[in-house]
Amino acid sequence: MVVIEGDNESRLEPKRFSSWLRLTRIQAWIYRFLNNCLLPIDRRTRDELTVEEIQDAEIRIIKAAQKRSFETEYSALSSGKPLPMSSKLLALKPRLDEDGVMRSDGRLENAEYLPYDVKYPIILPRKEWVTKLIVRWCHQQGNHTAGTNQTLAMLSSRFWLMQGREQLESAKENVMNVEEEKQRQLSR
């Protein structure tokens, strides 16, 4: 894949999407198009999206959300400076991985057999639309029947949510409000 220089930001406005899967797939298609524009016709990718393309889109979207929400912390980490003492992220010991994604660095790094995402979970900002989409997606993965603890466990296998329980409760409320509205429209 060709990397487009200076292209670290997400190309789409996440608030225009109500589904995490749709946002990531459309983002991946956009990056494929941009990469194909730079390649000769015989080297362009034409098939379905690959797992790597979707994961790359996810990382770019999350990184853009982190840059928006943790602007001073992100710039401090990227320049190698210590975090401000007033930062809410100090307890998480954040660090940037090779993709530039902010991850928590804690005691789990000593666990030998845990996957990388569990050892170093991606820090998700609290009031970011991307976080709401991810929480909603995990809630839907549990078929709307998984309890708060089960959904938090699913999320914690890859992410660290700032005030995660509150995020999950608000996502459940939003889903219930949408379902009630659908029932009202059907009964008319």
Side-chain angles (χ1 to χ4, degrees), residues 62 66 92-95 97 101-109 114-124 155-161:
I62 291 170
Q66 288 176 336
L92 298 177
K93 299 180 193 169
R95 66 179 186 85
D97 67 5
V101 175
M102 200 181 306
R103 293 179 176 269
S104 177
D105 192 11
R107 294 181 309 185
L108 290 177
E109 71 179 324
L114 287 177
Y116 182 77
D117 281 339
V118 176
K119 281 186 185 182
Y120 308 105
I122 296 171
I123 300 172
L124 291 178
L155 283 164
S156 67
S157 67
R158 185 167 180 212
F159 303 106
W160 180 272
L161 270 75

Side-chain angles (χ1 to χ4, degrees), residues 3-4 15 18 21 37 51 55 71 76 79 85-88 90 93 95 105 112 122 130 143 154 174 182 186:
V3 178
I4 300 169
K15 283 198 173 206
S18 61
L21 290 177
C37 287
V51 173
Q55 288 173 343
E71 195 172 333
S79 63
M85 294 307 287
S86 61
S87 173
K88 294 179 181 180
L90 270 178
K93 299 180 193 169
R95 66 179 186 85
D105 192 11
E112 293 178 26
I122 296 171
V130 169
N143 293 325
M154 285 172 48
N174 290 343
K182 284 182 183 177
L186 289 175

